[in-house]
Amino acid sequence: MCLACCEAIESGQAVINPCLCGAPETQAAMQRIEADISRRQLLGGAAAVMGLFAGFGLAPREVRAQSAGRPVVLTNLRFFDGVTLAMQSGRDIVIEGGRITGLPATGTGPSEAEVIDCGGRSVTPGLIDCHWHATLVGISQIAALTQDIGWVHLMAGREAGATLMRGFTTVRDTGGPVFGLKLAIDQGAVAGPRIFPSGAMLSQTSGHGDFRLLNALPRMPGNPADYTEKTGVAAIADGRDEVLRRTREQLMKGASQIKIMAGGGVASPYDPLDTAQYTLDEMRAAVEAAADWGTYVCAHVYTPTGIMRCVEAGVRSIEHGQLADTATIRAMAAAGVWWSIQPFLADEDANQYSDPRSQAKQQQVADGTVRAFQEGKAEGVNMAFGTDVLFNPRGAATQGRQLGKLTRFMPPLEALRMATGAAGELLAMSGERAPYQGQLGVIAEGAFADVLVWDGDPATDLAFIADPDTNLRLIMKDGRILKEQL
């Protein structure tokens, strides 16, 4: 403190402020420090981070960034815009500043540009998986419940890079401690997709998110939180007050939407599939808290009873729902509720379970999958694609093949729209809580420049998406080229 300041305080002309955090001088000093730290990180610290993560395959794999002040033009292509159910041609795609800035007639774009010849190939928006678990997909269930959380996050970082290389440039994470991974991706320290995080999954006691062992019961007020709660995988909340608290905690952490468990599940051992979970009042508590923050609630649920309760409570997105009956599907359509649905077919790509109870529940869900897709489409429900690959390291690589399976239920471009334009509409329901402000899942002026170039014709089939190593020729996320094999 300066001498004049000390004299003023001693004479009574000024008082001591024990906290100078808000003082203009302090704020200016902090801005200078932060600017210097950012510069040092850019010049030196970032290189150290890249080296640290390179051994785990986490370092960004950017081929090249857009030249400063110079747009990129993709030409000689046919494209699916994510909305119109037809391939379009005769246009170029102009990209500048991480956005698509124009779709001019071929050869009429800006003259001073970097031109990329796509060789007549198919171009699509970056793919979106609306039901993904970035921290839980690449490890086993026992590992998720017992291993050091640092290891869990490193495995998640590795899988995030693989997810991006499959062409999935955005995911909606529907449960898990993903906030740190999202931050690392957004800052460029780790390669991965954009993440719309839910944070911890909210579950009642005995619900689908309650993974405690039976010997942990009864839970008393003074007991410490379970491991899955401490690490942010799930949050057990009973009663309106507790649901409000846990919902608000996830919003405080940066959740773009809230995930609740509204019915029994396959992976959890103690909750039968037919059970309804959370009372109407508890659900409404989560919906109200989310609405106060301008966002919405999505719900894991399979059965008509659970789905109808969700619709009545104001839940905006049903996750799974393969056991819905006709009346329930029509109620979803009438309420404008989204259906985030997965091709659960109990086939070779399904999540693997050793518990006979889980195996039986998995088959029950598979039996309802075909009818759910067919009736949902026929009744005009808003449907978006997701995979829900969970505790399945080998299954993660099937992400694109899962999308291809939708052609069993609808034409290829309709299926592709579920993973692009329609998925983007679902993400947009996060409003101001969306971590990325702009259109996703479309090739349109002003949209994020997340663009893929493929060998294959999506108007005919989507089988080629199952083999991105061979067929995915260019990956662009936010205007940056991460892979080019044209």
Side-chain angles (χ1 to χ4, degrees):
M1 184 178 295
C2 68
L3 179 60
C5 294
C6 293
E7 291 175 347
I9 291 170
E10 290 173 358
S11 66
Q13 298 176 10
V15 296
I16 296 174
N17 180 0
C19 179
L20 297 175
C21 299
E25 295 85 354
T26 304
Q27 293 296 312
M30 288 303 299
Q31 289 173 4
R32 290 194 299 270
I33 292 170
E34 289 174 356
D36 185 60
I37 289 172
S38 297
R39 180 180 62 83
R40 291 172 184 271
Q41 287 176 334
L42 179 63
L43 297 178
V49 171
M50 302 308 177
L52 172 65
F53 287 110
F56 293 94
L58 305 186
R61 286 180 266 186
E62 183 177 305
V63 174
R64 68 172 185 270
Q66 180 178 314
S67 301
R70 190 178 180 208
V72 171
V73 175
L74 301 182
T75 190
N76 190 14
L77 54 86
R78 301 168 62 244
F79 72 95
F80 172 64
D81 67 5
V83 179
T84 308
L85 296 179
M87 296 296 290
Q88 301 181 46
S89 60
R91 294 185 177 273
D92 291 341
I93 301 173
V94 181
I95 295 155
E96 192 168 7
R99 303 278 181 145
I100 297 172
T101 57
L103 297 169
T106 301
T108 64
S111 56
E112 294 296 324
E114 178 184 357
V115 178
I116 299 177
D117 189 333
C118 296
R121 294 180 175 90
S122 299
V123 175
T124 72
L127 303 176
I128 301 172
D129 190 328
C130 285
H131 196 112
W132 190 246
H133 296 279
T135 52
L136 304 176
V137 60
I139 56 178
S140 68
Q141 184 170 341
I142 189 65
L145 298 178
T146 61
Q147 292 298 314
D148 182 89
I149 192 62
W151 177 84
V152 171
H153 287 311
L154 284 170
M155 295 301 101
R158 182 178 68 175
E159 186 55 48
T163 302
L164 183 58
M165 289 300 106
R166 290 191 287 268
F168 286 86
T169 54
T170 303
V171 298
R172 185 178 63 147
D173 191 280
T174 49
V178 76
F179 297 111
L181 176 62
K182 176 192 174 297
L183 181 61
I185 292 171
D186 291 346
Q187 292 184 344
V190 176
R194 304 174 191 275
I195 296 177
F196 280 68
S198 299
M201 302 170 275
L202 271 62
S203 171
Q204 68 175 45
T205 294
S206 78
H208 182 49
D210 188 349
F211 286 92
R212 293 174 296 169
L213 298 176
L214 293 178
N215 61 13
L217 305 179
R219 181 174 182 169
M220 306 303 290
N223 287 2
D226 178 68
Y227 177 78
T228 56
E229 294 180 274
K230 288 187 293 185
T231 56
V233 173
I236 299 173
D238 296 297
R240 165 173 276 271
D241 290 347
E242 193 67 14
V243 171
L244 284 172
R245 179 179 294 110
R246 299 306 175 209
T247 299
R248 290 166 176 164
E249 286 176 348
Q250 301 316 307
L251 293 167
M252 183 177 177
K253 288 182 175 182
S256 52
Q257 65 282 323
I258 296 297
K259 167 78 172 295
I260 67 171
M261 301 304 199
V266 174
S268 45
Y270 304 119
D271 56 323
L273 206 59
D274 63 300
T275 57
Q277 298 175 15
Y278 274 137
T279 65
L280 184 61
D281 187 51
E282 288 171 318
M283 286 187 186
R284 282 177 171 161
V287 168
E288 290 164 8
D292 283 345
W293 280 55
T295 187
Y296 68 98
V297 172
C298 62
H300 160 103
V301 62
Y302 287 105
T303 64
T305 299
I307 296 171
M308 291 297 284
R309 186 179 296 178
C310 286
V311 173
E312 184 177 356
V315 169
R316 301 298 299 154
S317 176
I318 298 300
E319 311 297 309
H320 315 316
Q322 278 84 353
L323 302 183
D325 58 20
T326 300
T328 303
I329 293 172
R330 289 175 176 170
M332 290 168 62
V337 171
W338 279 86
W339 196 348
S340 171
I341 188 169
Q342 305 74 37
F344 289 158
L345 298 169
D347 56 13
E348 68 280 1
D349 295 329
N351 296 326
Q352 300 300 307
Y353 301 103
S354 57
D355 188 332
R357 293 172 296 181
S358 291
Q359 292 172 351
K361 290 190 286 187
Q362 185 179 53
Q363 186 58 54
Q364 186 179 350
V365 169
D367 291 342
T369 294
V370 175
R371 185 188 54 79
F373 270 102
Q374 292 173 341
E375 288 201 34
K377 181 175 178 293
E379 296 295 338
V381 181
N382 296 320
M383 302 176 77
F385 168 74
T387 56
D388 193 31
V389 181
L390 187 63
F391 305 135
N392 190 351
R394 288 182 295 179
T398 70
Q399 199 173 16
R401 188 157 69 233
Q402 304 279 5
L403 175 55
K405 291 178 184 179
L406 300 192
T407 58
R408 173 176 174 177
F409 315 113
M410 63 192 75
L413 288 180
E414 286 191 32
L416 187 56
R417 183 170 62 182
M418 283 183 60
T420 52
E425 290 182 41
L426 173 54
L427 297 181
M429 290 204 309
S430 293
E432 292 300 315
R433 300 290 77 77
Y436 317 97
Q437 292 298 320
Q439 274 190 291
L440 289 163
V442 296
I443 294 177
E445 188 170 342
F448 280 110
D450 296 352
V451 180
L452 310 175
V453 180
W454 299 91
D455 281 336
D457 182 3
T460 303
D461 67 73
L462 300 181
F464 61 90
I465 294 178
D467 187 5
D469 289 344
T470 302
N471 299 319
L472 184 47
R473 295 293 187 159
L474 182 143
I475 301 173
M476 178 182 286
K477 176 193 170 194
D478 200 28
R480 291 176 169 84
I481 296 174
L482 303 173
K483 174 183 177 180
E484 184 187 343
Q485 295 180 350
L486 293 174

